[in-house]
Amino acid sequence: MGKPYNRKKVQQQAFIGWLIIAAGFAVQLLLETFLWNESRPDMAGYLIGIPFAIGGILFLHALLTFMTGKEHHPLHHRDEDVSDPYQANMVRIRRHFKVCALVFLVGGGLFATFIITKIAFFSVGFFILFVGVFCLMYGYHQWARCPACRYLPTESTGGNHQRILLDLTYCPHCGARMGKD
């Protein structure tokens, strides 16, 4: 078939193309509304046309790559042993989970106290819960990745839900060794 491509980079290229196209329309609208206070169709060809052409070329290149190319999987890491950094990250995740569990308990207690007493000071519990969830998700997405190819192994649990897989022996994406058999 066609040449291999990296799916994430091509998706990013398509998104950037759309952003450039939208930026041309937004600039025209803002200039006509706030600066010129009138419709200027003579400038539309430049302010909309040039970003539309550049963004359109980027988007079409990404679309043609999707249609004619084949997704590249980095198999050059097969049989590479990255078990030491991966196992260190698993230990880091376990420690991080314990800290986040403590943050959840403190935040949940404060927020429950706020709901019961209606004292505004205890509403900080909601913010603490949010910070705890953010830190937990950041830790999982940062440290559960394969050290060789940076792939985040996930598994579908039904519907639109996915869970992150931990303590793997081999990377399902690149085949690198990440743990003991």
Side-chain angles (χ1 to χ4, degrees), residues 67-79:
M67 290 171 41
T68 61
K70 61 180 180 179
E71 187 175 356
H72 173 67
H73 293 284
L75 296 177
H76 58 278
H77 293 295
R78 183 170 294 286
D79 298 328

Side-chain angles (χ1 to χ4, degrees), residues 50-66:
I50 293 172
F52 190 82
I54 294 170
I57 289 171
L58 286 173
F59 179 76
L60 286 177
H61 182 267
L63 185 64
L64 288 174
T65 302
F66 274 131

Side-chain angles (χ1 to χ4, degrees), residues 23-36:
F25 288 104
V27 166
Q28 176 73 16
L29 179 68
L30 289 173
L31 288 176
E32 285 181 352
T33 304
F34 296 113
L35 188 63
W36 297 327

Side-chain angles (χ1 to χ4, degrees), residues 3-181:
K3 69 178 187 172
Y5 65 88
N6 184 337
R7 182 180 181 91
K8 287 190 178 195
K9 288 185 179 179
V10 175
Q11 285 176 336
Q12 188 178 34
Q13 177 187 356
F15 182 69
I16 289 171
W18 273 109
L19 283 179
I20 291 172
I21 291 170
F25 288 104
V27 166
Q28 176 73 16
L29 179 68
L30 289 173
L31 288 176
E32 285 181 352
T33 304
F34 296 113
L35 188 63
W36 297 327
N37 295 324
E38 64 180 328
S39 177
R40 299 273 306 262
D42 57 325
M43 294 301 293
Y46 299 107
L47 294 175
I48 295 176
I50 293 172
F52 190 82
I54 294 170
I57 289 171
L58 286 173
F59 179 76
L60 286 177
H61 182 267
L63 185 64
L64 288 174
T65 302
F66 274 131
M67 290 171 41
T68 61
K70 61 180 180 179
E71 187 175 356
H72 173 67
H73 293 284
L75 296 177
H76 58 278
H77 293 295
R78 183 170 294 286
D79 298 328
E80 186 177 330
D81 188 11
V82 293
S83 60
D84 289 337
Y86 181 74
Q87 292 304 320
N89 284 344
M90 292 299 105
V91 170
R92 187 179 291 155
I93 284 176
R94 286 185 198 96
R95 287 182 189 152
H96 189 71
F97 180 78
K98 291 175 186 176
V99 171
C100 287
L102 180 63
V103 170
F104 289 144
L105 287 175
V106 169
L110 288 173
F111 191 62
T113 305
F114 167 70
I115 291 175
I116 293 169
T117 63
K118 305 287 190 243
I119 297 173
F121 172 75
F122 295 117
S123 67
V124 75
F126 181 73
F127 177 71
I128 292 173
L129 282 172
F130 175 75
V131 168
V133 169
F134 177 78
C135 289
L136 182 67
M137 296 313 310
Y138 176 78
Y140 275 142
H141 283 274
Q142 185 68 23
W143 297 319
R145 294 182 182 278
C146 170
C149 67
R150 302 296 297 154
Y151 176 74
L152 182 65
T154 59
E155 176 182 67
S156 178
T157 59
N160 292 334
H161 304 296
Q162 291 189 352
R163 69 182 186 107
I164 299 172
L165 299 174
L166 302 173
D167 293 322
L168 297 174
T169 306
Y170 292 96
C171 176
H173 188 254
C174 71
R177 183 185 184 106
M178 298 194 306
K180 309 291 185 235
D181 288 330

